[in-house]
Amino acid sequence: MNERILRVLEYTKIKEHLLGHVSSSLGKEKIKELVPWTSTDDVLHQQNSTDEGVQVLRLKGHVPLGGIRDIRASIKRSEISGILNPEELVDISTTIYGGRRFKRFIEGMLEDEVQLPILEELIGQIVPLNELEQEINLCIDDNGAVLDSASPTLRNIRQQLRTFESRIREKLESIIRSSKSQKMLSDAIVTIRNDRYVIPVKQEYRSAFGGMVHDQSASGATLFIEPQSVVTINNQLKEAISKEYEEVQRILRQLTERVAEEAGILSHNVEMLAEIDFIFAKARYGHSIKGTKPLVNEKQHVKLKKARHPLIAAEEVVPIDVELGGDFNSLVITGPNTGGKTVTLKTIGLVALMAQSGLQIPADDDSEVAVFESIFADIGDEQSIEQSLSTFSSHMTNIVQILDQVNFKSLVLFDELGAGTDPTEGAALAISILDYVNERGSRIVATTHYSELKAYAYNREGVMNASVEFDVETLRPTYRLLLGVPGRSNAFEISRRIGLGEKIIESAKSHISEGNNQIDDMIASLEDAQKQAQRERIDAASIHDEADKLKKDLEERLSEFEQFKEKLYTDAEQEARKAVEKARKEADEIIKELRDYQKKHGTVKEHKLIEAQKRLEDADPNLTSKAKKSPGKNAEGLRKLMPGEEVKVISLNQKGHIIDQVSEKEYQVQIGIMKMNVKADDLQPEKKTKQTETKPVVRVQGSSQAKTELDLRGERYEDAMRSVDKFLDESLLAGYPQVSIIHGKGTGALRKGVQTLLKEHPNVKSTRMGAAGEGGSGVTIVSLK
């Protein structure tokens, strides 16, 4: 990837944006050195590392990378026996701490079983130099000052310094407070000159104080004199300051030697932290552009879904769908100026560079990118004034250099190929250049004005036409890319919209060959067909989503039913166990009583045996008596159960009604909102009221097809009311005593309308909301007269 290509495709601007997301100068250096990788393994590793960074930010919201500094220069100086200053040592300490804190942060996520293999490997190589960090912190504070506690010697020296300074100040302040001395002083203050304490004395009183003159004012009227009375103490102070400096230097030298001992580990830690900072800069940038991790392949296949140019504002950019390297290797984009052809070209090239740099791309999920060894671009007017080259010559010079280097692992971008010269010759050159690059297996995206190239894709295998859409109504481009449709000039339509006379337009059309007119008509037809296909695809996607939603709803209902059935079985088993246990206890008591009676009286009298037998019969749980009684009726075929007839499912101890007969020995039964197939010998007909028994049942053809449930969800209000009315009529004809109307919860408008209609309907006996197992307030259960 040469520097010119990176500049033309604005890759350098991406790096500038990326710099805004680093935490340290270490990360900045990595970004400045960043170039796209050309090895698939490298690209995959970088993409995976960025994805891990995104995952950490998504789960935690931040990463602790504060305090990390570029300490490599300080480490190098320590190795060549230089003495590090306190600020450098503080930077080393904070960097050790920053690495240790980040390591602990990631280890915590790993303990929560978050999969971060790349970051885990990086932190595994960070050695927490706790002892060195503590030694530096004991000697130097956060502001870079050497602490008194750094050594006993330094503590004693500084105590002496404070004593000497205090004594000097006391003496000088007593002088300046003296009424005798005040008239001799320019100002009643104690100040410092040449690291010695002095007082400002008027020139004419110089001899009154004796001592040493260290400075004078600009006018010479004031002399800064160290009085003789403090010269000795000042000398002692000066000597203590010198000792302090020597002790501080000794401490710094000792700490520097400790840094030198750990230089190798420190340098390696810095490398790991630089890589970590780089990873999270990529992750933050990906988040800022709403990027996604692309699929990486070695098949030179590019498939971008809703790709956006990352340097165009989100509210202005128009997403494009692009595919290259699958059914076709070359894409020829035609269309009017300012239609977005160049932006499309740059988007494809820049997204490829970003992906190969380990950056997430501004496109939808499941977008695919290839790893190209080289990307070439001839975009824009790169005319060289110094070389006196025309626009055409400048483009051709660049193209010649490209043609010398392309291969089957190249992506080539041509903007306005063959422009700047005679249209006929330019189109011929463009076709020949595309053929040449195609033969070498490169992936090509080219834009052009030439109408000759519209037919190029139809005559060449592996080449696809595309165009940028233009809205003739608004006379503005939509910037949408249409694959498979060549572009039209739209000159006549635009002229007509602007107001050019129809006679002139028709005259102009007569000067164009019949073939060109047919091509324009064909292109217009293709555009209309593609728009229609896109609308149908959107409708199909909507239907697919609705079907998925319905499928999930049914799965949830089935799951609820299975749970309900399991609960019934569990409850029945528990009740059976309790009944059996109670019967066993009763039997044990009866047997015990009989034995006790036999022991006392020798024999058991007849009335005792009869009484005991009666108690045993009462204790019998009789768990199967109902099941035996009911199957007897249906198994012998005494009466066939009819649709709508109320029955009891014996094994579930639940009431329902017959929907249909599945076979001679099986019926479909509805219990609440649940439908299930039940064996005939597991059903018991419910006794009907007198009103029900005397009710005439009208059988009409097709009534058996009527359903006992009406689903109104998704219907408009008026349509729903008509559906309810029709459904009630069909249910009455079918003889159903009870039906269910599903209206959903929603805003409640549909439910209210349904219930109002039901109240006024002459054949509705009563209504109620569904129970917990029947759909709750989203269902109305209707009893019919």
Side-chain angles (χ1 to χ4, degrees):
M1 309 289 176
N2 62 55
E3 187 62 34
R4 190 189 67 81
I5 297 299
L6 300 181
R7 185 183 68 256
V8 167
L9 292 176
E10 301 179 288
Y11 178 77
T12 50
K13 291 184 179 179
I14 296 295
K15 290 172 63 172
E16 289 173 6
H17 286 212
L18 194 55
L19 284 170
H21 297 280
V22 296
S23 298
S24 70
S25 58
L26 294 170
K28 287 184 179 179
E29 185 175 333
K30 294 278 290 186
I31 291 170
K32 289 177 181 177
E33 295 172 353
L34 177 63
V35 290
W37 278 269
T38 55
S39 161
T40 303
D41 289 341
D42 288 337
V43 173
L44 284 170
H45 178 80
Q46 292 297 322
Q47 284 291 343
N48 290 335
S49 67
T50 304
D51 189 55
E52 287 187 18
V54 170
Q55 187 179 358
V56 171
L57 291 175
R58 185 179 68 252
L59 294 174
K60 296 295 185 181
H62 75 288
V63 284
L65 287 173
I68 296 173
R69 305 284 185 270
D70 185 359
I71 58 174
R72 288 173 294 185
S74 300
I75 295 171
K76 189 67 177 175
R77 284 211 306 121
S78 74
E79 291 182 294
I80 59 174
S81 302
I83 298 179
L84 302 181
N85 61 46
E87 289 76 14
E88 290 175 302
L89 289 166
V90 169
D91 285 347
I92 291 172
S93 171
T94 59
T95 300
I96 295 172
Y97 171 72
R100 179 163 53 84
R101 181 174 57 173
F102 179 79
K103 180 171 184 168
R104 197 165 56 238
F105 174 78
I106 296 297
E107 286 174 344
M109 296 189 70
L110 295 174
E111 288 174 2
D112 293 336
E113 298 184 355
V114 180
Q115 299 301 313
L116 304 169
I118 295 174
L119 288 172
E120 183 177 6
E121 182 183 354
L122 290 173
I123 65 166
Q125 299 181 56
I126 296 176
V127 180
L129 299 170
N130 297 344
E131 291 184 7
L132 178 57
E133 180 191 350
Q134 291 174 3
E135 288 177 30
I136 294 174
N137 292 343
L138 286 172
C139 296
I140 303 171
D141 66 16
D142 294 339
N143 298 318
V146 179
L147 299 169
D148 293 359
S149 57
S151 74
T153 303
L154 184 61
R155 182 184 293 106
N156 292 335
I157 292 172
R158 286 186 172 170
Q159 190 170 356
Q160 291 176 7
L161 284 172
R162 287 188 284 272
T163 301
F164 291 145
E165 287 174 350
S166 176
R167 289 173 58 191
I168 292 169
R169 282 188 171 277
E170 285 177 4
K171 286 184 175 293
L172 293 179
E173 286 176 359
S174 66
I175 291 174
I176 62 178
R177 283 197 301 268
S178 168
S179 56
K180 179 181 177 183
S181 301
Q182 283 182 355
K183 64 178 183 179
M184 304 178 190
L185 301 176
S186 300
D187 200 355
I189 60 170
V190 177
T191 184
I192 295 175
R193 291 292 186 276
N194 299 328
D195 294 330
R196 299 178 78 91
Y197 286 93
V198 296
I199 54 176
V201 179
K202 295 177 181 177
Q203 172 68 32
E204 57 269 27
Y205 297 109
R206 172 178 179 175
S207 58
F209 293 94
M212 300 172 60
V213 177
H214 288 280
D215 198 4
Q216 67 178 13
S217 64
S219 63
T222 301
L223 301 177
F224 294 93
I225 296 175
E226 178 186 358
Q228 186 64 42
S229 59
V230 297
V231 169
T232 300
I233 305 175
N234 253 334
N235 288 339
Q236 292 173 330
L237 177 62
K238 190 77 172 178
E239 184 179 354
I241 290 173
S242 178
K243 289 180 180 178
E244 180 198 28
Y245 174 78
E246 290 176 1
E247 181 62 15
V248 167
Q249 289 300 108
R250 185 192 69 78
I251 292 168
L252 295 178
R253 186 181 300 107
Q254 183 177 346
L255 291 174
T256 302
E257 289 171 357
R258 285 286 293 116
V259 171
E261 290 173 9
E262 307 290 359
I265 295 175
L266 283 169
S267 297
H268 189 70
N269 283 358
V270 167
E271 289 179 19
M272 297 302 101
L273 291 171
E275 183 65 26
I276 288 166
D277 192 12
F278 175 55
I279 287 172
F280 283 99
K282 292 188 295 178
R284 293 189 193 97
Y285 176 69
H287 177 74
S288 71
I289 62 169
K290 295 181 172 61
T292 60
K293 178 186 177 184
L295 303 174
V296 180
N297 66 72
E298 294 181 311
K299 300 177 294 185
Q300 311 304 301
H301 184 201
V302 176
K303 186 175 183 180
L304 304 179
K305 299 179 180 179
K306 299 289 184 291
R308 310 172 297 279
H309 196 290
L311 299 177
I312 299 178
E315 61 273 12
E316 298 176 8
V317 68
V318 178
I320 59 171
D321 293 324
V322 180
E323 187 167 0
L324 192 65
D327 296 333
F328 51 90
N329 296 335
S330 301
L331 192 64
V332 178
I333 306 174
T334 52
N337 283 331
T338 70
K341 299 193 303 295
T342 303
V343 170
T344 297
L345 208 65
K346 286 187 172 183
T347 300
I348 296 168
L350 187 54
V351 166
L353 292 174
M354 290 173 65
Q356 290 185 219
S357 301
L359 300 174
Q360 295 197 332
I361 62 173
D364 283 0
D365 289 329
D366 297 327
S367 292
E368 274 192 73
V369 295
V371 179
F372 296 104
E373 284 186 356
S374 51
I375 297 177
F376 301 101
D378 180 61
I379 298 176
D381 185 4
E382 297 182 50
Q383 180 176 344
S384 172
I385 298 175
E386 291 82 1
Q387 295 178 3
S388 301
L389 295 176
S390 67
T391 301
F392 176 74
S393 299
S394 174
H395 280 298
M396 289 310 299
T397 300
N398 188 28
I399 290 171
V400 168
Q401 294 174 355
I402 292 174
L403 298 182
D404 288 339
Q405 302 175 62
V406 295
N407 58 33
F408 70 98
K409 289 189 175 181
S410 300
L411 173 63
V412 185
L413 308 172
F414 292 123
D415 189 27
E416 299 299 344
L417 183 59
T421 187
D422 176 75
T424 304
E425 294 180 353
L429 274 173
I431 291 171
S432 296
I433 290 168
L434 289 175
D435 281 343
Y436 181 88
V437 180
N438 257 323
E439 289 172 3
R440 275 148 186 76
S442 301
R443 302 296 181 261
I444 308 168
V445 183
T447 67
T448 181
H449 279 303
Y450 295 136
S451 58
E452 290 84 351
L453 288 178
K454 295 176 185 178
Y456 177 78
Y458 296 105
N459 300 327
R460 298 294 193 283
E461 185 178 351
V463 182
M464 174 64 73
N465 266 322
S467 61
V468 284
E469 189 180 48
F470 189 87
D471 190 340
V472 179
E473 296 297 323
T474 61
L475 302 182
R476 297 184 66 183
T478 66
Y479 301 104
R480 292 176 58 246
L481 185 68
L482 304 176
L483 288 178
V485 181
R488 290 190 292 161
S489 65
N490 296 303
F492 294 144
E493 291 297 330
I494 293 172
S495 300
R496 182 179 287 110
R497 296 285 299 172
I498 292 174
L500 187 65
E502 191 66 31
K503 185 176 181 180
I504 298 174
I505 292 173
E506 291 301 322
S507 175
K509 284 185 176 179
S510 68
H511 295 297
I512 296 178
S513 67
E514 183 65 25
N516 282 341
N517 282 328
Q518 289 178 353
I519 289 174
D520 278 347
D521 291 342
M522 178 193 71
I523 292 172
S525 176
L526 283 172
E527 287 180 351
D528 292 341
Q530 188 168 55
K531 289 177 182 177
Q532 178 64 25
Q534 188 167 16
R535 286 194 293 269
E536 290 176 357
R537 186 166 60 250
I538 292 171
D539 291 342
S542 176
I543 293 170
H544 182 269
D545 291 342
E546 187 176 344
D548 277 349
K549 183 179 178 182
L550 182 59
K551 179 175 177 289
K552 288 178 182 176
D553 185 42
L554 291 174
E555 287 175 347
E556 288 176 2
R557 291 192 180 189
L558 180 59
S559 176
E560 288 176 2
F561 167 69
E562 292 295 338
Q563 291 174 6
F564 176 69
K565 184 171 73 172
E566 188 65 30
K567 183 176 184 300
L568 289 177
Y569 284 143
T570 303
D571 292 346
E573 286 178 3
Q574 289 177 352
E575 288 179 10
R577 288 195 195 98
K578 289 178 181 178
V580 170
E581 185 65 27
K582 181 180 177 183
R584 186 181 294 113
K585 288 180 179 178
E586 286 284 338
D588 289 344
E589 288 178 4
I590 293 167
I591 292 169
K592 184 177 181 297
E593 287 180 11
L594 288 172
R595 284 175 178 169
D596 291 342
Y597 186 87
Q598 188 176 24
K599 286 178 181 179
K600 290 180 179 178
H601 300 90
T603 58
V604 181
K605 295 182 179 180
E606 185 66 23
H607 75 277
K608 282 291 182 181
L609 290 173
I610 293 171
E611 183 183 343
Q613 185 178 5
K614 180 69 171 63
R615 289 174 63 190
L616 281 171
E617 287 174 357
D618 293 340
D620 181 6
N622 198 20
L623 298 174
T624 59
S625 60
K626 290 181 181 178
K628 288 177 181 176
K629 180 180 176 181
S630 184
K633 288 185 178 181
N634 293 327
E636 293 170 6
L638 293 181
R639 184 168 64 80
K640 181 180 177 182
L641 299 174
M642 303 302 295
E645 184 172 351
E646 292 191 15
V647 293
K648 181 176 182 180
V649 181
I650 299 168
S651 60
L652 300 180
N653 194 26
Q654 291 290 314
K655 293 182 180 180
H657 60 267
I658 301 295
I659 297 176
D660 198 4
Q661 184 171 3
V662 180
S663 65
E664 290 184 3
K665 297 183 179 180
E666 191 172 21
Y667 289 86
Q668 187 180 35
V669 181
Q670 177 152 354
I671 303 173
I673 64 169
M674 297 182 296
K675 297 177 183 178
M676 58 191 298
N677 291 347
V678 183
K679 298 291 184 182
D681 56 6
D682 194 20
L683 296 173
Q684 177 179 313
E686 286 290 292
K687 291 182 179 179
K688 298 181 180 179
T689 61
K690 290 182 180 179
Q691 181 181 0
T692 305
E693 290 171 352
T694 58
K695 171 187 170 184
V697 178
V698 180
R699 301 288 292 176
V700 297
Q701 186 177 1
S703 64
S704 63
Q705 301 300 319
K707 298 181 179 179
T708 60
E709 178 184 283
L710 175 63
D711 191 343
L712 299 176
R713 289 175 296 181
E715 287 195 22
R716 297 178 56 192
Y717 184 88
E718 294 79 8
D719 296 337
M721 295 303 103
R722 285 194 292 271
S723 297
V724 172
D725 200 46
K726 181 181 177 184
F727 172 67
L728 292 173
D729 291 341
E730 290 175 351
S731 300
L732 283 165
L733 289 174
Y736 294 163
Q738 178 177 295
V739 291
S740 303
I741 299 177
I742 304 172
H743 41 66
K745 299 177 182 178
T747 60
L750 187 57
R751 177 179 59 196
K752 185 176 179 182
V754 168
Q755 292 177 348
T756 300
L757 188 152
L758 293 173
K759 286 179 182 177
E760 297 173 355
H761 199 283
N763 293 315
V764 173
K765 184 198 302 183
S766 63
T767 64
R768 63 177 176 85
M769 301 307 298
E774 296 175 325
S777 59
V779 176
T780 296
I781 308 299
V782 184
S783 295
L784 300 175
K785 293 181 179 178

